[in-house]
């Protein structure tokens, strides 16, 4: 097939509309990315889109309209929230999922009972839709899996010979695809972040839910709320790694991992500090620019022949959430977290919480694994299900919550049972700790603390750069436990006897804080250690 290149003149727009009416495929500009359009009510024309893009048939398409009165025939119901959102953000980069009317072909819906509708803001897109006289089904105009095109040249690279025409409308302003929000769900559910931010949605409809697939890989076997989220996406040929942490930590990491065919996708401010070829996707504080440039930057990496690319992770908030969501998928969820992790451990009563509190006062995020241990066994969690399977459903209360007494009875009955308990809970706690550490890195913290009495037992020391053990003479611990938990000396002594011996904590490489005087002295030691640059740089 010979692909025509059309200009955004009245004549080019007329030709595009004519081709679309005849059931042909035409790539058109929108304010987000280029769309690969077909007559959205013509099932055969829509089916051709999947062939041209090599897109899986069960991934549904968006219907584009150019007049607000044109969405009513496509849906069976327009909820109040949808009306309010349309009023606030249409025309614009917002797609709404609504119950589909019978006229919407199965090919558009990908077999679902709902349909996605959007009113784009781009004047050329609007003119084509109005002249074609039908809603246009249009996914992004790239081959399935590769980065979306934000100019006609990028469309040409993927689609020449596969479609009837490309209508050139210059660079797309937003640069990432529209925000997709499901209005068939209460509260409205964000399926794909885009130019309309979560805050902008909340300003209009109140509370929204953010689908977990926005920032995380789908759990194996789970059904995707938006089918598009389960496919490989936005991926250049190079292998990408999303690097979280401060701007400086990114440069240090990349420079320590330079090599042939290694490149960086980074912020403008970092380019000069890197010892590998670097492509910027915008200024560190300018999320609008990052969205505008990210897809083209991904394609430039391939042009340069990069094989391994370290990507400076954007802050996942505002429009940055959309950029983060795309880069996470481009990286196939490969994340490197450069945040410095300090493990804090020690026997009970030695003063661990005093140290944690002192560091918290310095503004350091402290992740408490006791809290995480409670969170991993929330009702319906995979961890709780596994425990019920292993120790019988007698460990569940009627409302589905964990009956701790019952679990303790069974899990501490034999050493094997205790081992089984740990084998189920410890990996879940570590995974959650890693998630919290990623969040801390996203918020710009250079370092964080993991407060874990069972740091070594759970194998959590392996994720720490530094380990600090707080120790105290037995006598002191005894009295502290008695006062803290209001128990007598025998009970306190029993607890201490059940703990590991001192040399279990004081291993090679572990920094020991001896709590010999009072709490104030211990706090001072803790603060001094945190501020000791020599300690941080020592291996
Ligand atoms: O900005 C955009 O939205 C661009 C331009 C061309 O308008 N279009 C676009 O289309 O990004 P596409 O097909 O690449 O992405 C549509 C997304 C997919 O993730 C798809 O799974 C989801 O919307 N989607 C479509 N219909 C849906 C439905 N009924 N229910 C849930 N998700 C749906
Ligand atoms: Mg797409």
């Amino acid at each position: 097939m010979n692909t025509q290149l059309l200009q955004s003149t009245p004549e080019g727009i007329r030709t595009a509309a004519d081709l679309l009416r005849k059931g042909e495929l035409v790539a058109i500009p929108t304010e987000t990315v280029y769309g690969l359009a077909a007559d959205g009510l013509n099932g055969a024309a829509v089916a051709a889109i999947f062939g041209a893009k090599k897109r899986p048939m069960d991934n549904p398409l968006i219907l584009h309209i150019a007049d607000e009165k044109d969405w009513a025939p496509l849906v069976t119901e327009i909820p109040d929230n949808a009306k309010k959102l349309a009023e606030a953000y249409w025309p614009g980069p917002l797609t709404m999922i609504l119950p589909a009317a019978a006229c919407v072909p199965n090919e558009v819906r990908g077999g679902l009972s709902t349909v996605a509708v959007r009113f784009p803001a781009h004047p050329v897109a609007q003119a084509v839709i109005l002249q074609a006289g039908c809603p246009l089904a249009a996914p992004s105009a790239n081959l399935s899996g590769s980065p979306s095109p934000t100019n006609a040249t990028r469309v040409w690279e993927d689609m020449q010979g596969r479609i009837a025409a490309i209508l050139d409308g210059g660079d797309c302003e937003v640069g990432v695809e529209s925000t997709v929000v499901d209005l068939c769900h209460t509260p409205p559910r964000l399926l794909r972040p885009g130019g309309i931010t979560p805050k902008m949605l909340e300003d209009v409809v109140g509370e929204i839910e953010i689908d977990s697939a926005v920032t995380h890989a789908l759990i194996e076997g789970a059904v995707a709320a938006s089918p598009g989220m389960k496919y490989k996406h936005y991926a250049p040929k190079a292998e990408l790694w999303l690097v979280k942490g401060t701007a400086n930590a990114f440069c240090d990491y990349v420079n320590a991992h330079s090599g042939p065919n290694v490149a960086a996708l980074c912020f403008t401010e970092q380019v000069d500090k890197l010892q590998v070829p670097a492509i910027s996707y915008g200024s560190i504080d300018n999320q609008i620019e990052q969205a505008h440039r990210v897809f083209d930057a991904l394609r430039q990496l391939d042009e340069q022949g990069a094989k391994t690319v370290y990507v400076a992770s954007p802050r996942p908030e505002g429009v940055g959430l959309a950029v983060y969501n795309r880069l996470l998928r481009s990286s196939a969820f490969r994340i490197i977290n450069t945040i410095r992790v300090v493990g804090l451990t020690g026997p009970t009563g030695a003063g661990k919480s005093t140290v944690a509190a002192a560091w918290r006062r310095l503004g350091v995020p402290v992740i408490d694994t006791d809290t995480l241990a409670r969170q991993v066994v929330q009702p319906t969690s995979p961890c709780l299900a596994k425990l019920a399977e292993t120790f019988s459903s007698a460990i569940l209360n009627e409302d589905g919550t964990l009956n701790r007494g019952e679990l303790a009875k069974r899990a501490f009955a034999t050493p094997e049972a205790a081992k089984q308990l740990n084998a189920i809970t410890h990996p879940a706690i570590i995974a959650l700790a890693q998630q919290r550490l990623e969040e801390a890195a996203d918020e710009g913290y250079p370092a964080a603390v993991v407060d874990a009495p069972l740091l070594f037992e759970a194998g959590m020391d392996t994720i720490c750069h530094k380990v600090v053990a707080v120790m105290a003479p037995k006598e002191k611990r005894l009295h502290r436990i008695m006062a803290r938990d209001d128990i007598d000396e025998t009970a306190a002594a029993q607890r201490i006897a059940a703990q590991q011996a001192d040399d279990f904590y004081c291993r090679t490489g572990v920094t020991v804080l001896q709590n010999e005087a009072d709490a104030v002295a211990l706090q001072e030691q803790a603060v001094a250690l945190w501020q000791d640059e020599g300690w941080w740089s020592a291996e």
Side-chain angles (χ1 to χ4, degrees):
M1 186 187 300
N2 189 16
T3 303
Q4 293 183 59
L5 203 51
L6 305 170
Q7 296 308 310
S8 296
T9 56
E11 198 198 330
I13 290 170
R14 204 173 320 119
T15 309
D18 287 345
L19 286 166
L20 287 162
R21 257 199 313 270
K22 281 190 234 152
E24 299 282 353
L25 305 184
V26 180
I28 60 166
T30 84
E31 75 278 26
T32 56
V33 301
Y34 273 71
L36 180 51
D39 175 350
L41 299 181
N42 175 345
V46 173
I49 292 178
F50 291 88
K53 266 185 72 90
K54 302 185 182 167
R55 175 168 167 126
M57 287 297 287
D58 68 347
N59 192 1
L61 305 176
I62 298 170
L63 286 181
H64 296 70
I65 57 169
D67 187 323
E68 262 188 55
K69 70 176 180 340
D70 288 342
W71 62 328
L74 305 175
V75 300
T76 57
E77 191 201 333
I78 300 182
D80 272 351
N81 276 336
K83 278 187 207 135
K84 287 194 235 163
L85 285 171
E87 202 164 301
Y89 302 120
W90 273 2
L94 176 68
T95 296
M96 291 192 247
I97 310 288
L98 295 162
C103 66
V104 178
N106 194 39
E107 288 83 351
V108 170
R109 292 180 280 111
L112 302 174
S113 60
T114 52
V115 62
V117 187
R118 168 160 118 83
F119 184 165
H122 200 293
V124 175
Q126 291 178 1
V128 176
I129 297 166
L130 291 174
Q131 289 192 31
C134 55
L136 296 181
S140 49
N142 51 285
L143 286 173
S144 195
S146 55
S148 301
T150 53
N151 59 56
T153 310
R154 296 307 190 189
V155 180
W156 180 259
E157 288 168 6
D158 278 18
M159 289 297 160
Q160 57 170 309
R162 308 181 70 84
I163 59 176
I166 298 169
L167 182 57
D168 189 346
D171 259 7
C172 300
E173 196 185 322
V174 180
V176 291
E177 304 87 340
S178 60
T179 301
V180 178
V181 56
D182 184 356
L183 274 307
C184 301
H185 191 270
T186 313
R189 181 158 60 177
L190 177 69
L191 301 182
R192 181 176 73 181
I196 304 295
T197 64
K199 163 93 175 40
M200 290 165 79
L201 295 173
E202 278 168 353
D203 284 348
V204 174
V205 301
E207 187 205 351
I208 62 159
E209 185 183 307
I210 299 186
D211 194 277
S212 71
V214 168
T215 48
H216 295 98
L218 270 180
I219 297 170
E220 224 170 294
V223 177
S226 177
M229 293 199 203
K230 68 182 181 214
Y231 296 110
K232 182 168 170 253
H233 247 104
Y234 321 116
K237 293 179 193 78
E239 185 174 281
L240 265 57
W241 292 84
L242 193 62
V243 182
K244 296 192 175 210
T246 64
N248 284 337
F250 175 80
C251 297
D252 291 344
Y253 184 89
V254 173
N255 290 337
H257 292 82
S258 65
N261 300 318
V262 172
L265 179 60
C266 62
F267 303 118
T268 315
E269 294 82 351
Q270 294 169 319
V271 172
D272 289 342
K273 296 182 187 148
L274 292 166
Q275 291 152 15
V276 302
I279 290 172
S280 153
Y281 70 102
S283 176
I284 198 158
D285 294 320
N286 190 341
Q287 298 178 320
I288 304 283
E289 185 188 16
Q290 292 164 21
H292 180 73
R293 287 173 59 176
V294 66
F295 280 136
D296 211 70
L298 285 171
R299 287 184 178 240
Q300 284 174 43
L301 288 165
D302 278 344
E303 286 167 350
Q304 298 198 347
K307 295 268 187 298
T308 302
V309 177
Y310 296 113
V311 184
S313 184
R315 255 194 142 139
E317 60 189 26
V319 178
L321 182 64
V323 181
Y324 176 78
N325 167 276
R326 307 308 190 273
L327 286 173
L328 190 61
R329 284 169 170 72
S330 306
S331 314
F333 298 93
R334 285 181 290 260
I335 293 176
I336 293 164
N337 193 353
T338 61
I339 196 166
R340 307 288 290 171
V341 183
V342 176
L344 176 62
T345 191
T348 182
K352 207 168 52 65
S353 33
T354 305
V355 173
W359 286 341
R360 264 203 191 94
R361 276 195 295 277
L362 292 179
V364 178
V366 177
I367 298 158
D368 175 18
T369 51
D370 288 340
T371 309
L372 302 187
R374 281 192 293 277
Q375 287 169 351
V376 296
V377 293
Q378 288 299 310
T380 76
S381 65
C383 195
L384 187 57
K386 200 79 194 282
L387 289 175
E389 199 182 292
T390 310
F391 297 104
S392 115
S393 53
I395 63 150
L396 299 178
N397 293 314
E398 253 169 41
D399 61 358
T401 55
L402 173 63
N403 182 334
R404 286 172 189 283
E406 197 56 44
L407 176 64
K409 212 162 78 193
R410 289 160 191 261
F412 297 123
T414 63
E416 279 68 44
K419 237 189 215 154
Q420 275 180 310
L421 171 70
N422 291 342
I424 294 169
T425 53
H426 287 168
I429 295 170
I430 294 181
L432 196 54
Q434 265 164 332
Q435 203 174 310
R436 295 282 177 273
L437 288 166
E438 283 177 20
E439 287 159 11
D442 286 338
E443 284 166 34
Y445 291 106
V449 172
V450 175
D451 177 346
L454 301 180
L455 188 86
F456 295 115
E457 291 91 333
M460 228 180 267
D461 53 320
T462 57
I463 67 167
C464 298
H465 298 99
K466 296 270 170 197
V467 174
V468 174
V470 185
M471 308 301 293
K474 261 206 185 113
E475 237 352 69
K476 289 200 78 169
R477 285 168 55 203
L478 198 66
H479 288 113
R480 227 178 273 123
I481 295 170
M482 286 164 62
R484 186 188 67 191
D485 299 344
D486 196 18
I487 52 177
D488 65 18
E489 192 169 332
T490 327
Q494 259 169 14
R495 278 205 206 163
I496 289 179
Q499 290 236 310
Q500 307 280 5
D502 284 7
D503 57 3
F504 176 81
Y505 299 100
C506 304
R507 315 173 172 203
T508 326
V510 172
T511 305
V512 176
L513 288 181
Q514 281 294 352
N515 183 7
E516 265 149 0
D518 57 3
V520 176
L522 182 61
Q523 283 161 21
E524 279 169 4
Q525 277 187 75
V527 169
L529 182 68
W530 196 269
Q531 293 170 342
D532 178 2
E533 277 174 29
W535 178 66
W536 283 102
S537 55
E539 277 306 309

